[in-house]
Each structure stands twice: as structure tokens, then as C-alpha cells.
Amino acid sequence: MTALPDVRTSRWAALTALVTTSVLLTACGSGGSDSGSGSGQPKSGGTLTFAVGSDAGCVDPQQVASNETIYSVRQIVDSLTDQDPKTGKIVPWLAKSWDISSDATTFTFHLRSGVTFSDGSKLTAQVVKDNFDAVPKLGALGTLAEGYLSGFKSTTVVDPLTVKVTFSQPNAQFLQATSTHSLGIESSASVQKTPQQKCSDGVIGSGPFVLKQYVQNQSVTLARRAGYAWGSSRWSKKGEAYLDKLVFKVVPEAGVRAGSLQSGQVDAISSVGKANEAALKGGQVTLQRRANPGVVFGLGLNNSRPALKDARVRQAILLAVDRQQIADTVFPTGTQPATSVLAHTTPDYADLASGLTFDAAKAKSLLDSAGWKTGSDGIRTKGGKKLSLTLKWFPNASTNQPALELIQQQLKAVGVDVALKQLQVTQFAPTLQSGDFDAVWGNVTRADPDILRSSFSTKLANFYHLPASSLDTALSEQAATVDATKRRQLVTQAQQSLVQSAYYVPVVELQTQLGVSKKVHYLSFDASSRLQLHDTWIG
């Protein structure tokens, strides 16, 4: 098949990641990763009822990007690989091993034998080829999966259980991409359906659970897959899952979700906010928290704007933000202030906290040196123009507005006028594409540092209009090396460059926080702070 241009796929990968994570995730706390004490003998059976806040309107893992739907559809499909959430290491799943060419353009996967889909068909190299060849045809909802295959050239069946994926340029991030739900492997019968059919009817996977019923905006019901025997190498239980059934109920109101958990009507809930923490603490509920990997919540600056072209102005904005105050005041317990452009749960994260300190005096000094003088109203001016920025944001999380109002106050204190402009969620993508913004508020979730290239390389989408610099070289080179030590050095260099030049203003780490009944054991986060429920049991 004809490969799609790298710029197009990477542009849409970045845009989709920004839209889906910023739009569909709710900020929560940080902390432990497993529910239950782990005591007692695990037992099979029972139904786990999970209340989520929204429904993406689609039950195809390759097209879904909302955490609250990923929680359910992730259980339907297996991936070629898995990722250890503690180390970031890629480990076997459907592929028992793999080989990567020295230039990171060819990936050869050796598949496990005996794997079947829930319709009885077998996993073969041809099925993997069918999946990867079809991804570019998914359309608007499948652009995250499409982005992971950026620069895709071909998939070759070497033998029935060996498949080779070739790219037109180095693509080191692809191995981690094969661990994601977006590249979960579906049966050939599902691949042949239209994207719309897959969204509404669901897909046939080889995963530990099968889809039994989907009622849009109401519920997703899954049943345990009989005979399942090919789980990820990092799972504790071999063979079938413990639970008989999983029911995901859509309950938009956070307070109603919390009340349902307290009363025992449901066993777990998503998106626990600060307002409901006190009611849930001290009872038969555990609050589970984990920082989402990827680019932290922050201000995406349009570096082409006249005032923002001056590094001193950008650096002043970075120094004027009191991250700790914002984390403590607005976000759920345990939310951490940003210590880099990447969250600390991202592989190859570098701690740059010393460059992200709150220093209003230094911010004022930088603005003074840049020629911005304080006016009678406290706002700085230069050449008859006020230092005013319009910050566009989207009402997709309850923490957005209070966080931005606090940032507005903090920047005003050093003489920067910020006007907050709320737009509809559907306007997020067009806003980034058009470049019609001074700053935007958002984040990007991915458990691979290549998210920096998708977000900030001037060779790709370059939504923030960065100038070409040595940052591009670091981002390109990290994508082209399979040497872990070299890649870490390049990713660290990229993070340092972004912070030192203040191309982006990191503020707080996005946290996923769940409320889980204490009778639920081993409900655990994966490397992307989403859920894997194969090892989960109730007792």
C-alpha cells in the first residue's frame, strides 16, 4: 500500500493526542497504583461495576482516545507488547520476541502460537498485517493509531507467525506504540468492517474479555473470555481472568458517582475530584492515584507572537507561575507541580525543578530588561502597547477555569494582562491548526518521550510556532536511535531546551484518580495510567 506522508500523520497524531487527552481526562491526585491489600486468596467469579463520567460513542479500541471508554475497550484486545509502568520497559505479550534494525526502520515480531480471537479465528502474521494496513483508513477517530504508524512503508508476512513492519525513516517510538490500546490487534473480520460499524458494534479481539452489550451513553458490558491463555508477561495470573463480568455505567455527575460507590451500588468510579475526596476517605473506599505520563498541563505559547518571540518575556511568564499554589489550591490531593515538560511517570523524564521555581522578582527584572515598563494600572507597556495575552481554554475538566484564574492573578502581579477566552471543545483542533491564539491550556498523555517530537518539532505540526533550533536535532535523533542511553541523553537535552527557552510553560502534572471499593483487589494502572483488569478480583 502507499505510505501516507510522515508530516500528515505526525501532525494529526499530535493534534489528536492534544485534543483527546486535554479534552477527555479529568485531573486527579497521585499516589499508589493497586487497590486492595493483596491479602486473602484470589478467587474467580463476580461482577465488577464501574461508574464512569462519559462515553466516547465508540467501542473500537483503535478509534477511542477517552480514558473513560478506554477502561472498558482495553479489556477486549491484546497488544503485540506491554509496557512496565514502573520501569517503562517493553515486555512480551502477543509477540514473544522482536528484532529491531540498527536504524530503527524495521521491526520484526515473532508471535506466540495458539492465540485465537473470540470468533475462533487464529492470530497470524497476516492478521497483524491486515490491522496495520487498515489503520490509515480509520479516518478522523483513528488518527492517534495512524500517528503511531507515521512514515509507515509496508508490513510483510515472513512466515505464519513472523511479521515485519518497515518505515520510510527511523521510528524508535513504534515499539512502545505496539503496547498501546490504539494498536490493539483485532480479528481480520473486524478489520474488514467500516470504522463506523466498528464504533457502534464493537470488535472481535483476543483479549481476556468480550463485548456483550453496548448502549451508547448508558453502559458497556463485558464477559470473561473462556479459554484465554496468552496474557501479558507482566500479569500475575495465568489463563483466564478472575471476574465473570465487567459493567461500565455512564454516570456524568461526580457527586452521584461518589454516592453510588459509598452505598455499594458500584465497585469503582472514575475521575474523583477534590470536592468528593473527604466523603470517600475513611470508609470502605481506596483512592488510587497516578500521574499521567506525557506532556504536563501547561501554557502552550504561540512563539510567533511579537511579545512572545522575546525569550525574556517567555521566561518571565514561566517564573511568575506559582505551581505549588495552583496544585494545592485547585487540584485533588497529591497533584504534583510540574518539574519538567514531561510528567515524572514518563520514561526518560528529567527532573528540572530548579528551572521551574516561582520567582516573581526575577520575572519583573526580566520584563524590565526587555523594555516592558509598569503602567499606572499595573500592566506593563512598550511602544504604546500593553503586555496583554489572550489565553484560550476549553471546558473539559472542572479544574481548568479555577487553575487559569489563579494563573491570571499570578501573571497580573508581575504586569502581564491575561484575558481568558473559553471556547467549545470542538474548537480545540481548529484553534491549534489556525494558530489563532496567544496561549492555550492543555496536556498530552503518552508513555513515551517521543511525545515531545510530536508536540514541539518544527519539522512536524509545530502548533506552537517554535523557531528552528538545536531542539529539532535532539528530537529527531532520539526518534532515530535504539540505544537506550543515547536516547535518554537526547530526551534530557530536549527537555532542558524547552524549559530554558520557555517555549512551553509547564504547570502541573495531570493525575488520574479513581475511587475503588476495598473489596476490589489488584485493580491496577498500566504505563499510560489506564486500567488492566485481568488480574482484578472481588472478595
Side-chain angles (χ1 to χ4, degrees), residues 178-415:
T178 64
S179 73
T180 66
H181 71 281
S182 299
L183 293 184
I185 305 301
E186 302 171 358
S187 72
S188 290
S190 290
V191 170
Q192 292 168 12
K193 291 185 175 182
T194 67
Q196 294 77 17
Q197 287 173 325
K198 294 205 299 178
C199 262
S200 60
D201 302 340
V203 301
I204 300 297
S206 64
F209 292 90
V210 296
L211 178 66
K212 283 299 181 183
Q213 186 182 43
Y214 171 50
V215 182
Q216 190 168 343
N217 293 321
Q218 291 186 33
S219 64
V220 177
T221 302
L222 310 178
R224 176 170 57 188
R225 167 81 189 278
Y228 183 82
W230 39 84
S232 163
S233 59
R234 71 177 189 86
W235 296 353
S236 299
K237 188 181 188 299
K238 305 303 178 185
E240 297 178 8
Y242 286 113
L243 295 164
D244 288 333
K245 193 161 71 168
L246 301 170
V247 179
F248 295 83
K249 292 184 176 181
V250 179
V251 182
E253 302 83 5
V256 176
R257 288 198 302 276
S260 298
L261 179 59
Q262 285 177 293
S263 66
Q265 292 176 280
V266 302
D267 306 302
I269 62 173
S270 69
S271 303
V272 178
K274 198 163 194 171
N276 299 118
E277 286 180 352
L280 293 173
K281 286 178 179 175
Q284 292 302 305
V285 174
T286 299
L287 294 180
Q288 289 183 232
R289 311 177 179 112
R290 188 176 190 268
N292 283 45
V295 177
V296 297
F297 261 130
L299 304 180
L301 303 178
N302 185 339
N303 290 265
S304 69
R305 291 290 202 246
L308 296 173
K309 282 184 178 180
D310 190 331
R312 292 169 294 183
V313 174
R314 299 194 305 270
Q315 289 161 351
I317 292 171
L318 183 144
L319 290 166
V321 174
D322 187 340
R323 293 159 184 80
Q324 190 68 59
Q325 183 187 31
I326 294 166
D328 292 345
T329 305
V330 176
F331 289 89
T333 303
T335 297
Q336 296 187 26
T339 51
S340 177
V341 178
L342 293 176
H344 77 277
T345 48
T346 317
D348 296 336
Y349 150 86
D351 186 347
L352 304 178
S354 61
L356 292 170
T357 56
F358 168 57
D359 192 336
K362 188 174 181 180
K364 291 176 181 178
S365 176
L366 282 167
L367 292 172
D368 287 339
S369 68
W372 291 96
K373 303 304 179 185
T374 305
S376 58
D377 59 356
I379 302 302
R380 293 174 180 266
T381 60
K382 181 180 179 181
K385 291 186 177 181
K386 286 191 174 185
L387 184 50
S388 298
L389 304 175
T390 298
L391 199 168
K392 295 185 176 180
W393 66 282
F394 309 86
N396 43 54
S398 61
T399 48
N400 284 353
Q401 185 168 349
L404 292 175
E405 287 174 347
L406 196 47
I407 289 172
Q408 184 182 44
Q409 294 171 22
Q410 293 172 353
L411 292 181
K412 186 177 182 180
V414 299

Side-chain angles (χ1 to χ4, degrees), residues 132-187:
F132 290 167
D133 286 357
V135 162
K137 305 171 189 175
L138 285 174
L141 285 178
T143 49
L144 190 57
E146 184 182 316
Y148 292 156
L149 285 167
S150 64
F152 174 75
K153 188 175 181 182
S154 65
T155 309
T156 305
V157 174
V158 179
D159 63 44
L161 291 176
T162 307
V163 61
K164 181 170 68 174
V165 185
T166 304
F167 294 89
S168 57
Q169 72 274 320
N171 195 12
Q173 63 84 32
F174 177 65
L175 184 62
Q176 189 275 337
T178 64
S179 73
T180 66
H181 71 281
S182 299
L183 293 184
I185 305 301
E186 302 171 358
S187 72

